[in-house]
Amino acid sequence: YRNDKVSITDFGGVGDGKTLNTKAFREAIYRIQHLRRRGGTLLYVPPGVYLTESFNLTSHMTLYLARGAVIKATQDTWTWPLVAPLPSYGRGRERPGGRYMSFIHGDGLRDVVITGTSANNRSDSLKHYTVNRENGTIDGQGGIWWNMWRQGNLQFTRPNLVEFMNSRGIIISNVIFKNSPFWNIHPVYCSNVVIRYVTILAPTDSPNTDGIDPDSSSNVCIEDSFISTGDDLVAVKSGWDEYGIAYGRPSSHITIRRVTGSSPFAGIAVGSETSGGVEHVLAENIVIYNSGIGVNIKTNIGRGGFIKNITVSQVFMENVRTGIKITGDTGDHPDNQFNPNALPYVKGVTLKNIWGVKVQKAGSIQGLKNAPFTNICLSKINLHGMTGPRSPPWKCSDVSGAAIEVSPSPCAQLSSPQQSGSCANHF
């Protein structure tokens, strides 16, 4: 709750879809930042379409979108500011050098809310399985950026739709995010982040439009949301090869629950950029359909870091190519300076209570010869094939752990009861 409230129209904002509102947003946020009203300030965006260039938020503010309000990114890509590469990546994710600033950006902030109308959102209903038309929208108009990527015309890495860096106490709720140029919501080096009741939409062929990517962040809760994009729905990350190893900030205590969606890539992903480490991730009550991979844990030689204490449970998937994939040879490198001896270790992955229909391939677990994946625990997993009741068999290498009540039968490395000691507490 904010005692102080202002409207974007107080600063000359015009919601006609044509007028450029950059000055209005920047002046409104300047006022919030410098007047510092006790308890912070709510910036109200009334119904209408507000075209604007990118802008920075400030601490102790709420960006509130009314029903029917749209904040729309300009397509004048040449006006887009550049920012430094993330230190844990060493360069832009797509291109060397800097990167375009996210459409809505925040660095070093605390106590920030992006929200809208909360009507008809109930966690005990199926509302989060569909788009809630009550909500306001943040529209990245990413088509022009996707075409630049396809044509090889990008000078720098595309902008995210929303990015918070080095921030804490962030809430994002009750807003539709659509057509991001790149990743949609990217909390990086953040803590205490809640993302709930959001809808994230992008065409299935839109490149790299990940839904939510917690990155070197801790205490993140993602829940009650619908995501349908061109890349992973949720991907937990923590830096890229030697840069992520040097920065050394893990992602930890990430909770993902009651999320539904579809993607040509993965539903729930960890990686592949995990060089700072990823630990204590819980994903539960997930529905994935028309997707490439249901659950995908991915890393690579040269990544270093660790992936440990990952639990995924209560998942339903339908019409996916591969149900479960855990692999040590996925993802590219920022440059040729990575250390090929920097091997990741993957330990303590629990997958349980997973049901799938129309699953072309049940699972694949491919560890690294010199860094086998250990304590991989599977229980109560039933993945049905396209035509018959059973999918093709699992493929595994360099992995140890145990499996109970898994159909089709998992690989021999996981089937021995003698190995179940490390998994006994996870079944």
Side-chain angles (χ1 to χ4, degrees):
Y1 181 78
R2 311 286 190 191
N3 286 314
D4 187 40
K5 297 179 179 65
V6 296
S7 171
I8 194 65
T9 58
D10 299 339
F11 300 86
V14 179
D16 61 3
K18 300 175 184 178
T19 303
L20 195 63
N21 289 278
T22 311
K23 186 169 180 283
F25 278 103
R26 292 179 181 172
E27 286 187 355
I29 292 163
Y30 183 89
R31 183 263 194 199
I32 295 169
Q33 181 179 7
H34 290 275
L35 276 186
R36 297 183 183 176
R37 298 296 193 195
R38 184 173 181 179
T41 298
L42 182 146
L43 175 58
Y44 178 77
V45 182
V49 179
Y50 298 84
L51 189 68
T52 177
E53 297 172 5
S54 59
F55 58 91
N56 285 281
L57 300 179
T58 189
S59 294
H60 308 298
M61 74 167 286
T62 296
L63 177 64
Y64 186 98
L65 286 77
R67 177 184 179 183
V70 180
I71 301 176
K72 184 173 283 192
T74 175
Q75 293 187 299
D76 297 336
T77 59
W78 57 90
T79 68
W80 221 278
L82 290 172
V83 293
L86 294 168
S88 59
Y89 284 74
R91 47 161 277 185
R93 185 58 185 83
E94 301 185 279
R95 303 283 299 160
R99 59 204 183 100
Y100 293 104
M101 188 178 97
S102 61
F103 177 47
I104 297 178
H105 195 254
D107 190 357
L109 307 184
R110 60 190 182 100
D111 178 25
V112 180
V113 179
I114 299 175
T115 192
T117 308
S118 60
N120 297 327
N121 275 323
R122 291 181 49 179
S123 61
D124 61 346
S125 72
L126 298 181
K127 292 288 184 183
H128 58 280
Y129 289 0
T130 58
V131 179
N132 188 339
R133 302 295 182 186
E134 297 286 318
N135 294 160
T137 300
I138 296 173
D139 184 352
Q141 293 212 92
I144 192 167
W145 295 97
W146 308 334
N147 287 334
M148 289 166 65
W149 178 86
R150 292 178 184 121
Q151 294 161 11
N153 295 333
L154 280 171
Q155 287 184 284
F156 303 97
T157 297
R158 287 171 284 157
N160 302 311
L161 193 55
V162 175
E163 180 178 78
F164 286 98
M165 300 172 56
N166 307 299
S167 299
R168 60 186 175 92
I170 307 296
I171 299 175
I172 301 174
S173 70
N174 301 102
V175 174
I176 299 168
F177 298 87
K178 63 185 290 189
N179 298 330
S180 175
F182 193 54
W183 301 344
N184 275 268
I185 300 175
H186 185 220
V188 57
Y189 321 139
C190 289
S191 62
N192 299 1
V193 178
V194 175
I195 303 168
R196 65 195 305 239
Y197 294 134
V198 300
T199 298
I200 303 176
L201 305 172
T204 56
D205 64 347
S206 57
N208 310 106
T209 50
D210 295 30
I212 304 170
D213 287 0
D215 197 343
S216 292
S217 293
S218 59
N219 300 329
V220 179
C221 181
I222 300 164
E223 61 185 8
D224 297 300
S225 294
F226 177 89
I227 306 172
S228 179
T229 60
D231 212 318
D232 299 342
L233 304 185
V234 178
V236 183
K237 302 177 181 290
S238 68
W240 203 11
D241 285 8
E242 68 270 25
Y243 304 105
I245 293 170
Y247 197 75
R249 179 158 177 177
S251 276
S252 65
H253 298 96
I254 313 287
T255 300
I256 306 156
R257 57 193 176 201
R258 298 184 301 275
V259 170
T260 299
S262 64
S263 160
F265 289 92
I268 301 299
V270 174
S272 71
E273 307 92 333
T274 56
S275 299
V278 175
E279 61 184 341
H280 306 305
V281 175
L282 169 64
E284 60 184 2
N285 297 308
I286 308 295
V287 177
I288 301 162
Y289 63 93
N290 300 342
S291 295
I293 303 170
V295 178
N296 191 11
I297 298 173
K298 45 189 174 175
T299 183
N300 206 342
I301 291 170
R303 288 288 193 269
F306 55 83
I307 299 172
K308 61 183 183 179
N309 298 334
I310 312 294
T311 300
V312 182
S313 71
Q314 302 295 338
V315 178
F316 175 77
M317 59 183 77
E318 180 176 5
N319 192 28
V320 302
R321 289 195 308 274
T322 302
I324 295 165
K325 187 174 184 179
I326 307 175
T327 182
D329 63 352
T330 299
D332 51 359
H333 302 284
D335 49 41
N336 59 9
Q337 303 302 310
F338 70 91
N339 177 5
N341 296 316
L343 300 178
Y345 80 85
V346 178
K347 179 179 182 180
V349 176
T350 299
L351 306 174
K352 59 185 180 180
N353 300 316
I354 298 174
W355 179 270
V357 296
K358 299 182 182 177
V359 178
Q360 294 180 27
K361 181 179 175 183
S364 172
I365 308 176
Q366 306 283 338
L368 295 169
K369 184 176 180 180
N370 295 318
F373 298 169
T374 61
N375 288 30
I376 308 301
C377 310
L378 311 181
S379 67
K380 297 182 179 177
I381 297 174
N382 203 317
L383 300 172
H384 292 289
M386 300 295 288
T387 54
R390 303 207 171 183
S391 301
W394 292 66
K395 290 186 177 180
C396 298
S397 62
D398 301 299
V399 56
S400 65
I404 296 176
E405 297 181 49
V406 176
S407 174
S409 296
C411 36
Q413 295 96 320
L414 299 179
S415 60
S416 171
Q418 285 76 22
Q419 293 177 318
S420 64
S422 61
C423 292
N425 294 329
H426 300 279
F427 291 148

